[in-house]
Amino acid sequence: MDIVIVGAGKVGANLTKLLAIENHNITVIDQSRRVIETLVNECDVIGYTGNGAAFKTQEETGVAKCDCFIAVTGNDELNIMSCMLAAKTGAKKTIARVRNAEYSDQLLFMQN
């Protein structure tokens, strides 16, 4: 399965490692070059330094052809925006980490 993960903090790094062990094709995007280099060296993944909510970044990392796009940054709005763009671009499934309960009703509205 081709999976793109945006955000390589604790959640994103652990998710990347677990999915890489299961032999998925992982591309991880983060704004920190150091964090990306560490993950690329530890796991068999492709790393990209950039903004996961930017169309250019998603285009360059093949989001349009991915099976699953997962946004797990520490910013709810960035995760939502990234997933909306990924879905519009062609990602088959999108998952956004959203911690603020205020977004629940809005997410249901946007899905319809």
Side-chain angles (χ1 to χ4, degrees):
M1 182 179 275
D2 293 326
I3 302 171
V4 176
I5 299 173
V6 175
K10 285 184 178 181
V11 174
N14 285 328
L15 190 57
T16 298
K17 291 173 187 176
L18 291 171
L19 292 171
I21 288 170
E22 294 181 3
N23 293 321
H24 294 287
N25 299 321
I26 309 295
T27 300
V28 62
I29 304 168
D30 196 273
Q31 293 188 344
S32 170
R33 176 175 288 142
R34 182 181 52 79
V35 170
I36 290 296
E37 287 174 357
T38 300
L39 272 176
V40 167
N41 290 330
E42 289 180 7
C43 308
D44 185 20
V45 299
I46 297 169
Y48 189 90
T49 303
N51 179 353
F55 178 74
K56 181 181 176 187
T57 300
Q58 289 198 10
E59 186 177 50
E60 290 176 1
T61 56
V63 168
K65 297 177 183 171
C66 75
D67 297 304
C68 187
F69 179 91
I70 306 170
V72 290
T73 71
N75 183 309
D76 290 350
E77 293 83 2
L78 180 65
N79 294 340
I80 294 168
M81 176 75 171
S82 298
C83 284
M84 289 175 65
L85 180 60
K88 191 79 165 170
T89 302
K92 291 177 184 72
K93 297 277 185 187
T94 61
I95 300 169
R97 175 186 178 204
V98 179
R99 296 173 290 170
N100 186 339
E102 290 181 25
Y103 289 120
S104 296
D105 294 334
Q106 294 166 5
L107 289 172
L108 292 173
F109 174 76
M110 290 187 316
Q111 289 175 347
N112 295 326

